[in-house]
């Protein structure tokens, strides 16, 4: 009997990574189709690296229907900034960089005196200015719902008013995979294609796709300060307080944000596989282990998002 | 490893947050810093140890009030599966959140407090799970520790609630939907992750064991191919790909496909992915299809197999959950978003409302926030539909308010569709048919006021406001009137009256911004128009009486045009008055099949 098309076995069900990937590609394409001027935030960090691979899967062999943008705190790790430029050039896609430092120099941002010179908070002003400058109506971000309690409640198409603000009590219902991208001029939507991914999913995907990432994600020896249970990397932005000493440790970064407030973790993991093994058994969340500024209050992320932060 | 999405509905009182906290904690998915944050929390409600429910309450208002406001998504995994929990509040005023959480779930957990048995809330949760097409429910009888782990209590609760669950189609006959019953104590951990030593009479799996084992691969079945085109990838002349996520079924290279709505046919030449071409791809994979022929395909079209077509309809019945504070308004247009297609439409009938507590079908002509009902929806361009029960992705739609852009409702296409062809064939496109299709009556609104910018401003603003509501509104001004009335001052008004009549037959709401200072002339026009079709709206302008102007003794309405927002205020009052007069009430004379 001749083999007809119908006699070929059905393709197997999707694995959980394949299902997440298919959903993320759908979200990227949906936003690209519904908005006039989207952009994709790319920092050189692992989540945005995954976002770029998903964008390749959504739009290749075409070009991305949006530029990449980085809100540069100028407190970034040099390895990450170098990787950012390398990857954008490798993809042949346009990269826009807007700097928090410029916003400070032009007086758009006033640094808070005292100990908190974190620039995570300050990014908001620069981001909103850049959105206005390029008239972006949608901005893709690599935030995940497993990162933080306020993010757990945020929509995939997250509506922002003309001031970029999030109103958590008045979010549009989001059912099935039907996203409502309708806005008035001046309003915007933040789009989170990897909302449903976890830190472990990200590492498994980096391993599966053999994605290049900045070297500091892997174990390396570095001078650090041990402070309050956190392992802090020494740099020109982070020096020991009186009584603290600098020690050398083998560490890696779980997240690569602002050098002045991003901690690393003690680890020997030098490959994606060993990082996956560590991540699968870790007892501390990504933010808990690494973010100094999120520990300020139970609601610090909620407050920043309401002000326009990612 | 695969993915299971499940929803939970309930309040703090039910122990829902505690159950999720326990599930995360005992499956070792809670991190040390999260536990520390809970222990530090100012609102720890547990008298001893830690309050597991705090692991799941996200927003500040929720922690302070001990309630859950919105849908929160939580993630955990075991070596067997990754789980996504859509965690939703359980009170009736959160029906929309429950529906949101249920929309993507494979499984729903319905919590019952063992002390009280199945309550109205349990019925509502099970109904919403059924309505949203969730194939598996777990009836979790919680707080068994508070009834002494008594098997008799368990038996009574089951005997009481099982008929209702079966009535909704879970675990009865050929239906693949099933219900699993588990007695547990979220507080103490019995049967959540580890099997209970306190309930040896229960021999089934623990909740987590069930979540790990429940078979969801066959839930949607192979199904018919539905490929809504999302995006056209066309980098150069050699590559023209139609990108999208397969909503159901399987597509194979070489398949003959039909493109809806054009009905054009072609063959699948390639199934492109970034990782290389595929021979076959099934839902829910995202792919890019290349066709053998140069046919016109764009976003919002759907590729299907010729031997398994969806319904192609402009009028259909659907179950709808109303999600907006503003109630359903049958006179207003809504945007219907279905797969990747957005079209204008309106609700042409409210067949009934469902009492979510008793399941009774109640007569209704409207839906309010959190109400669920069966509606007839009529859209301006056809949609390619399946019954929601058969295909969730192509049976689901949302309604968007085009003025506020808010998502106001979620809809599920019904299996039972009144036959489109069975209605009375439309023999004559008359005024009544046009009014029915437009969703409003036709009329002439004569703006009785002295000539001037203010009258014209009111006319134009009123036209815009009505047009935005979906009303076929049109301003006739002096230019139109003089153009047709050139025969002379006395012959003049006859042609105008014919013009108005023609507009009314066309189903239009005409706004007359025309000089006609003599009230007797206006009265004559009203008489010719007949039966209240010509409405004289006297505008009382701030400038005071005009030399030649004479007010009518009995206008249909008298509207003051004063104050800082004179025009907008006047327009709002006119629109409100028209609403009271029933101008926007859609006369329901058209048959379902008449379409648009």
């Amino acid at each position: 009997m001749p083999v007809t098309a119908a006699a070929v076995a059905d393709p197997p069900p999707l694995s959980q990574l394949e299902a997440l990937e298919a959903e993320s590609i759908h979200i990227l394409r949906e936003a690209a189709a519904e908005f006039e001027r989207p952009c994709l935030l790319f920092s050189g960090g692992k989540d945005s690296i995954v976002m770029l691979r998903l964008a390749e899967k959504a739009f290749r062999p075409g070009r991305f229907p949006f530029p990449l943008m980085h809100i540069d705190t100028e407190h970034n790790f040099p390895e990450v900034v170098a990787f950012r430029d390398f990857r954008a050039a490798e993809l042949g896609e346009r990269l826009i960089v807007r700097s928090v430092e410029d916003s400070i120099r032009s007086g758009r941002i006033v640094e808070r005196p005292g100990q908190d010179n974190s620039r995570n908070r300050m990014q908001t002003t620069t981001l909103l200015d850049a959105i206005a400058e390029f008239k972006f109506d949608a901005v893709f971000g690599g935030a995940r719902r497993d990162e933080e309690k306020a993010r757990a409640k945020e929509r995939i198409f997250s509506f922002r008013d003309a001031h970029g603000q999030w109103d958590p009590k008045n979010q549009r219902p989001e059912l099935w995979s039907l996203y409502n991208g309708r806005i008035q001029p001046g309003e915007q939507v933040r789009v989170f294609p990897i909302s449903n991914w976890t830190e472990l999913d990200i590492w498994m995907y980096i391993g599966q796709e053999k994605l290049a990432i900045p070297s500091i994600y892997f174990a390396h020896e570095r001078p650090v300060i041990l402070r309050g249970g956190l392992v802090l990397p020494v740099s020109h932005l982070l020096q020991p307080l009186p009584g603290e000493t600098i020690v050398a440790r083998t560490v890696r970064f779980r997240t690569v944000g602002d050098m002045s407030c991003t901690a690393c973790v003690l680890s020997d993991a030098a490959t994606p596989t060993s990082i996956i093994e560590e991540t699968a058994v870790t007892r501390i969340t990504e933010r808990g282990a690494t973010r100094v500024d999120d520990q300020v209050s139970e609601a610090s992320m909620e407050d920043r998002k309401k002000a326009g932060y990612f | 490893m695969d993915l299971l999405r499940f929803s939970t509905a309930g309040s703090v009182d039910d122990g829902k947050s505690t159950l999720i906290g326990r599930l995360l904690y005992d499956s070792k998915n809670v991190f040390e810093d999260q536990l520390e944050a809970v222990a530090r929390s100012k609102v720890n409600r547990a008298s001893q140890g830690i309050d597991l429910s705090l692991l799941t309450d996200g927003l500040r208002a929720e922690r302070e009030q001990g309630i859950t406001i919105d849908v929160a998504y939580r993630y955990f995994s075991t070596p067997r599966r990754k789980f996504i929990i859509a965690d939703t509040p359980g009170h009736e005023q959160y029906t929309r959140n429950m529906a949101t959480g249920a929309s993507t779930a494979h499984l729903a957990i319905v919590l019952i407090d063992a002390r009280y048995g199945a309550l109205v809330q349990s019925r509502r949760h099970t109904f919403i799970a059924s309505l949203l097409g969730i194939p598996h429910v777990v009836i979790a009888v919680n707080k068994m520790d508070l009834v002494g782990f008594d098997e008799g209590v368990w038996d009574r609760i089951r005997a009481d609630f099982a008929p209702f669950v079966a009535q909704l189609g879970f675990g009865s006959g050929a239906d693949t939907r099933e219900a699993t019953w588990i007695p547990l104590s979220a507080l103490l951990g019995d049967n959540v992750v580890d099997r209970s030593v306190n309930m040896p009479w229960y021999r089934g799996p623990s909740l987590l064991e069930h979540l790990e084992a429940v078979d969801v691969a066959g839930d949607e079945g192979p199904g018919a191919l539905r490929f809504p085109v999302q995006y056209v990838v066309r980098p150069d002349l050699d590559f023209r790909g139609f990108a999208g996520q397969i909503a159901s079924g399987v597509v194979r290279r070489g398949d003959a496909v039909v493109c809806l709505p054009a009905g054009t046919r072609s063959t699948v030449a390639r199934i492109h992915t970034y990782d290389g071409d595929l021979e076959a791809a099934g839902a829910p994979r995202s792919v890019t299809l290349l066709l053998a022929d140069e046919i016109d395909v764009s976003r919002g079209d759907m590729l299907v197999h010729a031997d398994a077509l969806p319904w192609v309809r402009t009028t259909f019945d659907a179950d709808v959950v109303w999600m907006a504070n503003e109630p359903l308004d049958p006179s207003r247009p809504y945007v219907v978003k279905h797969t990747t297609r957005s079209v204008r439409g309106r609700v042409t009938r409210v067949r009934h409302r469902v009492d979510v507590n008793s399941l009774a079908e109640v007569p209704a002509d409207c839906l309010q926030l959190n109400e669920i009902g069966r509606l007839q929806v009529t859209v301006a361009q056809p949609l390619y539909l399946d019954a929601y029960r058969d295909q969730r992705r192509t049976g689901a739609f949302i309604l968007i308010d085009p003025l506020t852009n808010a998502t106001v409702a979620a809809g599920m296409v019904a299996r039972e569709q009144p036959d489109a062809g069975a209605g009375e064939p439309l023999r004559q496109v008359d005024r009544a048919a046009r009014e029915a299709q437009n969703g409003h009556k036709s009329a002439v609104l004569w703006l009785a006021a002295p000539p001037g910018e203010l009258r014209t401003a009111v006319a134009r603003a009123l036209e815009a406001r009505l047009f935005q509501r979906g009303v076929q509104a049109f301003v006739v001004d002096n230019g139109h009137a003089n153009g047709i009335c050139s025969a002379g001052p006395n012959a003049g008004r006859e042609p105008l009256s014919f013009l108005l009549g023609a507009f009314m037959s066309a189903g239009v709401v005409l706004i007359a911004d025309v000089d006609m200072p003599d009230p007797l002339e206006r009265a004559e026009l009203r008489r010719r128009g007949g039966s209240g079709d010509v409405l004289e709206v006297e505008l009382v302008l701030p400038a005071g009486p005009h030399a030649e102007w004479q007010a009518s003794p009995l206008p249909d309405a008298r509207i003051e045009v004063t104050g800082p927002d004179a025009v907008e205020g006047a327009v709002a009052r006119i629109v409100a008055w028209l609403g009271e007069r029933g101008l926007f009430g859609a006369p329901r004379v058209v048959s379902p099949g008449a379409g648009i």
Side-chain angles (χ1 to χ4, degrees):
Chain A
M1 202 176 91
V3 176
T4 61
V8 179
D10 281 345
L14 271 55
S15 73
Q16 65 106 359
L17 267 193
E18 288 174 321
L20 290 173
E21 179 191 70
E23 176 183 79
S24 301
I25 293 171
H26 175 260
I27 293 162
L28 282 160
R29 287 170 172 167
E30 202 62 13
E34 293 220 330
F35 293 100
E36 296 282 325
R37 297 169 74 88
C39 77
L40 186 149
L41 290 186
F42 177 57
S43 63
K46 66 181 188 313
D47 298 317
S48 62
I49 289 169
V50 165
M51 293 267 290
L52 288 189
R53 171 50 52 91
L54 292 167
E56 288 181 277
K57 295 206 177 191
F59 302 110
R60 292 292 187 244
R63 285 174 57 84
F64 295 174
F66 40 75
L68 316 179
M69 181 163 76
H70 184 218
I71 303 304
D72 191 345
T73 60
E74 296 186 31
H75 280 185
N76 295 296
F77 292 93
E79 295 89 340
V80 178
V81 173
F83 183 87
R84 174 197 78 189
D85 295 339
F86 159 78
R87 183 66 179 132
E90 183 183 43
L91 285 167
E93 300 289 347
R94 178 179 173 215
L95 172 69
I96 297 166
V97 178
R98 284 296 175 271
S99 151
V100 172
E101 198 70 50
D102 287 344
S103 302
I104 295 170
R105 273 195 291 271
S106 67
R108 293 280 297 146
I109 301 177
V110 179
E111 286 196 83
R112 274 198 284 191
Q115 206 179 349
D116 179 16
N117 54 358
S118 148
R119 296 203 168 176
N120 281 333
R121 177 184 61 85
M122 298 178 188
Q123 285 180 62
T124 302
T125 303
T126 313
L127 172 66
L128 295 179
D129 287 351
I131 288 171
E133 177 187 352
F134 293 99
K135 298 187 171 61
F136 291 131
D137 52 2
V139 183
F140 291 106
R144 312 187 317 262
R145 285 176 176 153
D146 78 322
E147 285 180 273
E148 205 280 330
K149 282 177 169 186
R151 285 192 166 154
K153 306 220 157 178
E154 189 161 12
R155 304 292 187 254
I156 288 173
F157 272 39
S158 183
F159 174 79
R160 301 299 166 98
D161 67 16
H163 307 290
Q165 296 177 109
W166 181 54
D167 180 0
K169 287 188 185 168
N170 194 22
Q171 299 193 78
R172 292 176 177 175
E174 196 163 77
L175 295 98
W176 302 292
S177 49
L178 294 172
Y179 305 107
N180 176 356
R182 294 174 65 98
I183 52 171
Q184 304 285 349
E187 297 170 344
Q188 356 139 7
V189 170
R190 307 284 168 89
V191 181
F192 301 112
I194 58 169
S195 286
N196 286 324
W197 296 52
T198 61
E199 186 188 9
L200 186 57
D201 296 324
I202 293 288
W203 281 114
M204 287 168 59
Y205 198 69
I206 288 169
Q208 172 190 300
E209 298 289 315
K210 300 185 172 57
L211 294 176
I213 55 174
S215 59
I216 59 172
Y217 278 116
F218 298 113
H220 58 287
E221 196 176 283
R222 151 183 306 266
V224 298
I225 303 160
L226 306 175
R227 181 189 296 167
L230 296 173
V231 183
L232 301 174
V234 175
S235 70
H236 68 285
L237 296 167
L238 210 161
Q239 290 291 315
L241 298 173
E244 289 179 337
T245 51
I246 297 176
V247 293
R249 288 287 186 276
T250 301
V251 298
R252 66 177 174 89
F253 287 88
R254 283 174 75 179
T255 176
V256 290
D258 184 328
M259 281 169 78
S260 69
C261 63
T262 301
C264 43
V265 294
L266 299 174
S267 169
D268 293 322
T271 63
T273 312
S274 47
I275 292 175
I276 290 166
E277 286 166 6
E278 275 193 9
T279 306
V281 298
T282 184
R283 303 303 314 138
I284 305 199
T285 63
E286 182 175 315
R287 281 184 174 268
T290 61
R291 286 293 179 90
V292 179
D293 55 331
D294 281 347
Q295 299 184 340
V296 174
S297 93
E298 282 183 66
S300 54
M301 173 64 89
E302 185 180 337
D303 294 338
R304 277 193 310 202
K305 287 186 93 72
K306 284 177 182 169
Y309 184 72
F310 253 81
Chain B
M1 189 163 80
D2 65 353
L3 186 61
L4 183 89
R5 297 177 194 247
F6 67 95
S7 69
T8 57
S11 58
V12 173
D13 307 337
D14 301 332
K16 179 206 61 164
S17 297
T18 307
L19 175 65
I20 294 172
R22 172 63 66 185
L23 200 53
L24 299 178
Y25 185 73
D26 283 5
S27 63
K28 308 203 168 30
N29 275 278
V30 178
F31 298 98
E32 285 166 12
D33 52 314
Q34 292 174 318
L35 282 178
E36 280 169 23
V38 167
R40 275 203 310 272
S41 170
K42 295 185 279 287
V43 290
N44 197 336
R45 289 180 294 268
S47 51
Q48 51 195 339
I50 61 156
D51 181 349
L52 288 175
S53 72
L54 289 178
L55 286 169
T56 62
D57 293 334
L59 301 174
R60 192 199 315 258
E62 297 176 319
R63 285 192 300 276
E64 286 167 2
Q65 297 167 37
I67 54 166
T68 312
I69 290 171
D70 207 319
V71 187
Y73 295 90
R74 317 195 180 282
Y75 305 82
F76 73 104
S77 54
T78 68
R80 301 273 299 275
R81 256 186 181 153
K82 172 173 173 172
F83 299 95
I84 301 180
I85 312 176
D87 179 14
T88 67
H91 292 299
E92 185 161 359
Q93 67 266 34
Y94 297 115
T95 295
R96 60 174 169 173
N97 304 86
M98 277 182 261
T100 300
S103 70
T104 51
H106 304 102
L107 179 147
I109 298 178
V110 174
L111 270 176
I112 291 179
D113 187 324
R115 292 172 297 173
Y116 310 124
L119 300 176
V120 159
Q121 171 156 298
S122 326
R123 292 166 165 263
R124 186 168 61 245
H125 297 168
T126 314
F127 170 61
I128 291 168
S130 162
L131 185 76
L132 272 291
I134 298 181
H136 309 272
V137 294
V138 171
I139 313 291
V141 181
N142 189 24
K143 306 196 183 181
M144 288 298 292
D145 52 308
L146 297 181
V147 295
F149 299 106
D150 181 358
E151 187 179 8
V153 171
W154 160 256
D155 286 339
R156 280 196 295 280
I157 291 172
R158 281 196 72 156
D160 172 52
F161 195 46
F164 180 85
V165 177
Q167 185 194 335
L168 288 172
F170 292 105
S172 59
D175 208 317
T176 57
R177 299 184 298 158
E178 56 91 22
T180 299
W181 294 68
I182 303 176
L184 49 84
S185 164
L187 189 68
L188 302 179
D190 292 74
N191 283 335
V192 178
V193 169
D194 303 313
R195 294 206 191 177
S196 171
V197 293
N198 296 309
M199 291 178 277
W201 42 264
Y202 170 78
R203 300 187 190 285
S206 74
L207 177 60
L208 184 65
E209 286 172 341
H210 177 66
L211 294 174
E212 284 186 318
V214 63
D215 180 14
V216 295
D219 283 346
E220 300 246 349
L225 173 66
R226 302 286 182 256
F227 186 78
V229 175
Q230 244 193 314
Y231 192 88
V232 180
V233 178
R234 192 169 197 188
D236 53 52
L237 291 176
D238 298 328
F239 191 101
R240 184 156 163 267
F242 306 109
Q245 185 172 21
I246 302 169
S248 68
V250 172
V251 62
R252 293 185 164 78
R253 191 168 61 85
D255 275 0
V257 289
V258 177
C259 176
L260 299 172
T264 43
R265 288 163 186 262
S266 187
T267 307
V268 176
R270 290 175 59 194
I271 304 172
H272 168 88
T273 76
Y274 180 82
D275 302 296
D277 283 10
L278 300 174
E279 279 299 305
R285 195 178 285 279
S286 286
V287 296
T288 301
L289 300 183
L290 284 82
L291 301 181
D293 308 279
E294 281 268 331
I295 62 171
D296 183 32
V297 180
S298 53
R299 175 174 167 82
D301 293 353
M302 187 185 281
L303 298 174
V304 300
H305 288 145
D307 59 355
L309 296 174
W311 290 323
V312 180
R313 300 185 74 116
T314 54
T315 299
F316 54 94
D317 277 19
D319 295 310
V320 168
V321 183
W322 199 257
M323 301 189 146
N325 291 319
E326 291 276 303
L328 161 67
D329 182 347
S331 75
R332 290 188 49 184
Y334 294 102
V335 172
V336 181
K337 184 167 186 187
H338 170 261
T339 66
T340 59
R341 193 168 168 82
S342 294
V343 299
R344 292 278 249 193
R346 51 174 82 243
V347 172
T348 37
R349 277 173 202 230
V350 180
R351 299 203 183 275
H352 59 253
R353 180 174 70 76
V354 177
D355 181 326
V356 291
N357 298 323
S358 69
L359 300 195
E361 294 176 0
V362 188
D365 48 13
C366 177
L367 289 181
Q368 308 275 350
L369 176 65
N370 289 314
E371 289 185 344
I372 295 170
R374 174 72 59 97
L375 309 180
Q376 182 195 60
V377 179
T378 301
V379 288
Q381 286 93 37
L383 294 174
Y384 326 120
L385 305 166
D386 291 292
Y388 181 80
R389 182 62 64 76
D390 301 324
Q391 296 291 353
R392 280 166 100 173
R393 274 181 180 256
T394 46
F397 62 93
I398 55 174
L399 296 183
I400 300 170
D401 181 333
L403 291 185
T404 63
N405 291 330
T407 304
V408 294
M412 291 141 285
V413 176
R415 253 190 192 154
E416 310 78 24
Q417 292 293 340
D419 188 350
E424 196 65 18
L426 198 61
R427 296 185 197 288
Q428 194 188 353
V429 185
D430 56 9
R431 177 173 162 184
R434 292 180 197 280
E435 287 181 332
Q437 179 160 312
N438 289 343
H440 60 80
K441 293 176 183 142
S442 51
V444 175
L445 307 178
W446 194 279
L447 299 187
E453 286 175 12
L454 208 48
R455 187 184 74 195
T456 299
V458 170
R460 294 294 169 188
L462 180 61
E463 179 187 41
R465 175 73 66 89
L466 291 173
F467 184 77
Q468 276 187 311
R469 283 186 67 126
V471 172
Q472 303 287 331
F474 185 76
V475 172
V476 168
D477 58 21
N478 283 327
H480 299 112
N482 295 340
I484 59 162
C485 302
S486 55
N490 290 329
R493 298 312 171 187
E494 188 93 358
L496 182 60
S497 140
F498 277 112
L499 178 74
L500 302 184
F503 267 111
M504 265 185 299
S505 299
V508 173
V509 172
L510 202 68
I511 302 161
D513 175 26
V514 175
D515 295 345
M516 195 177 285
D518 183 350
L520 291 177
E521 268 194 288
R522 302 199 296 271
E524 174 63 14
L525 270 179
R526 285 168 73 178
R527 192 189 59 75
R528 285 172 187 267
S531 69
D533 285 339
V534 179
L535 303 173
E536 190 169 359
V537 181
E538 185 183 334
L539 302 180
V540 184
L541 305 182
H546 189 273
E548 290 173 32
W549 175 258
Q550 287 179 272
S552 301
L554 276 175
D556 294 285
R558 184 171 278 132
I559 304 285
E560 300 265 349
V561 189
T562 51
D565 58 343
V567 172
E568 275 308 302
V571 167
R573 285 193 290 279
I574 294 171
V575 171
W577 172 70
L578 292 172
E580 285 164 23
R581 282 192 63 101
L583 186 88
F584 307 125
R588 292 176 184 158
V589 294
V590 79
S591 70
I596 272 182

